[in-house]
């Protein structure tokens, strides 16, 4: 198994210190590290489609040699390193953060582009601060399953190549109640074009290290935005504009499937727009725009569903501040930022029209969409199931009776029920008026309204079983996530509202 290495990140300057001593790393972009080599690690899951991206053949994928790589028992002669970055966390500048429990092994020429291969959970790095650099099974299961699920949902995301047990048991205070216990440790191998974050630029700007800020920006443009050839300062504006577009595209995807990231700090924003760092994320169950899955954020709800557009914009503003010294054109940055809100609203409207199978222009569409969301909120309708039901029913079936399984309330007031009946009648009429074949409309709608999503209670059940060494549900979910838009009968048992017994789907930030 020989990867075709293309380690261009290593052309940037390395930290001269090669120890794992926690420290501020200055005048460098990364630090070489010695990852732990495990001997008792065990592969639980691996993603063939992710491996294919890297140019790994089927035979290689199933080989013992590749398994040894994925379980961190050998490193294929790569030169592992941990990257420097900073970030704004929950609205406040947090200074240097960096790869505290992630180690990059190298960049590989893949099928269509160069990919970066990174392991999580291989021990401390200079950026580990108070952490130990290891990862536990529960958070690793969540990262593996959801990043793969997002890829199949069509959302820009980092990928997961594998999930393994490390064979060790790090101590964690899982419930933040001063009661740390040993938990099964795990290793996730993840893959993305790059792992450069907004915070990678912010750290140099905060330190007024303009030389390295420029080097990183030029590097990023050369490798990830090659159509921009930096000739003068205005090219940095074009770069920022493209980052804003990519972030917007991902944001519209999240909103359209009810995904809440949970920790949208600037160190968790990839410069090329992929969803990154899967922590306390979640999908909306009952439609509630103020919902956040992150218990650590329960008080201010900064990262709640409806606030994600504001937060992505806020994060872009922080990136603009960081890039400003390279071109000093505040007006140009402002123009891009000012456009963002309107662009989001326009794109969201288009997306919602696709979700509802509306392909022509009608003056009433916006108010029809707004009424639907109001009704969904008032009647606690499940976000995913409501849209999927509307996709699966033919026009004449679009009645209140046919959607009654999507609600989280047992009895509905007559007023609300009548509002639903009116809305469904209007919707039927709107569909009839546009003159699109109903079967075609249903099939197209299904492409925008997933049937199978990984809800937190499902992940929790898979985690609880896996912690008892029963990996059956983990494996089952890892298969089901590959067909989120299909009428896959194997998923049938999961296509229901979240059970009453399932709790509130929220989690803390713990790693
Ligand atoms: P995250 O919440 O995963 O975005 O991580 C925020 C920061 O904390 C990053 O700098 C991580 O590298 C660091 N971090 C999180 N968990 C650990 C850990 N177990 N050991 C060391 N650093 C960690
Ligand atoms: Mg992070």
């Amino acid at each position: 198994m020989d990867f075709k290495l293309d380690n261009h990140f290593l052309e940037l300057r390395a930290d001269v210190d090669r120890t794992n001593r926690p420290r501020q790393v200055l005048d460098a972009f990364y630090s070489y590290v010695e990852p732990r080599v495990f001997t008792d690690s065990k592969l639980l899951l691996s993603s063939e489609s992710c491996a294919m991206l890297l140019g790994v053949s089927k035979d290689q994928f199933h080989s013992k040699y590749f398994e040894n790589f994925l379980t961190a028992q050998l490193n294929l002669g790569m030169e592992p390193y941990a990257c420097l970055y900073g970030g704004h966390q929950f609205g406040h500048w947090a200074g240097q953060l960096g790869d505290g429990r992630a180690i990059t092994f190298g960049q590989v020429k893949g099928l269509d582009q160069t990919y970066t291969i990174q392991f999580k959970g291989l021990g401390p790095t200079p950026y580990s601060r108070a952490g130990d650099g290891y990862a536990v099974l529960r958070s690793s299961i969540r990262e593996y399953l959801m990043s793969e699920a997002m890829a199949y949902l069509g959302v820009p995301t980092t990928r997961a190549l594998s999930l393994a047990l490390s064979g060790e048991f790090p101590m964690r205070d899982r419930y933040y109640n001063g009661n740390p216990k040993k938990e099964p440790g795990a290793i996730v191998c993840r893959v993305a074009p790059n792992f450069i974050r907004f915070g990678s630029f912010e750290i140099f700007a905060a330190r007024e290290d303009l030389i390295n800020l420029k080097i990183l920006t030029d590097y990023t443009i050369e490798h990830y935005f090659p159509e921009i050839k930096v000739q003068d300062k205005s090219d940095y504006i074009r770069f920022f504009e493209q980052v804003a577009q990519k972030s917007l595209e991902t944001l519209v995807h999240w909103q359209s499937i009810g995904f809440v990231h949970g920790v949208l700090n600037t160190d968790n924003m990839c410069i090329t727009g992929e969803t990154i760092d899967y922590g306390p994320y979640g999908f909306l169950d009952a439609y509630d725009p103020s919902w956040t899955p992150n218990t650590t954020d329960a008080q201010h709800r900064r990262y709640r569903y409806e606030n994600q557009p504001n937060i992505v914009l806020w994060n872009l503003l922080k990136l603009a501040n960081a890039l400003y010294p390279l071109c000093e054109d505040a007006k140009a940055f402002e123009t891009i930022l000012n456009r963002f809100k309107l662009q989001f609203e326009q794109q969201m409207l288009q997306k919602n029209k696709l979700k509802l199978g509306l392909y022509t222009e009608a003056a009433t569409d916006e108010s029809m969409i707004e009424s639907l969301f109001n009704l969904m909120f008032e009647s606690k309708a499940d976000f995913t199931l409501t849209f999927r039901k509307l996709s699966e029913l033919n026009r004449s079936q679009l009645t209140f009776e046919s959607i009654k399984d999507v609600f989280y309330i047992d009895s509905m007031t007559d007023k609300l029920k009548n509002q639903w009946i009116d809305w469904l009648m209007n919707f039927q009429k709107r569909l009839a008026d546009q003159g699109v074949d109903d079967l075609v409309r249903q099939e197209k709608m299904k492409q925008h309204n997933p049937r199978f999503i990984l809800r937190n209670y499902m992940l929790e059940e898979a985690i609880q079983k896996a912690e008892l060494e029963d990996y059956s549900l983990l494996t089952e979910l890892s298969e089901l996530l590959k067909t989120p838009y299909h009428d896959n009968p194997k998923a049938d048992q999961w296509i229901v509202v979240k059970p009453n017994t399932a709790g509130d789907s929220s989690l803390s930030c713990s790693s």
Side-chain angles (χ1 to χ4, degrees), residues 85 89 97 101 120 190 197 263 265 267-268 276-277:
Y85 56 80
Q89 298 187 314
L97 297 167
R101 62 168 169 163
K120 268 176 127 170
R190 62 181 185 176
R197 300 127 191 279
V263 203
N265 293 330
D267 55 308
N268 292 341
I276 189 173
D277 279 5

Side-chain angles (χ1 to χ4, degrees), residues 83 85-86 89-90 96-102 120-121 123-125 127-136 143 170 172 190 197 261 263 265 267-268 276-280 509-511:
C83 288
Y85 56 80
Q89 298 187 314
F90 297 94
Q96 176 182 301
L97 297 167
D99 289 332
R101 62 168 169 163
K120 268 176 127 170
T125 77
Y127 311 96
S128 296
R129 296 173 294 153
D132 60 6
Y134 295 105
V136 292
E143 164 121 30
R172 287 290 184 277
R190 62 181 185 176
R197 300 127 191 279
H261 180 286
V263 203
N265 293 330
D267 55 308
N268 292 341
I276 189 173
D277 279 5
Y278 290 87
C509 263
S510 107
S511 59

Side-chain angles (χ1 to χ4, degrees), residues 21-34:
R21 184 177 55 84
R23 58 182 178 271
Q24 290 293 306
V25 173
L26 301 173
D27 197 21
F29 298 85
Y30 57 92
S31 308
Y32 284 111
V33 289
E34 284 280 351

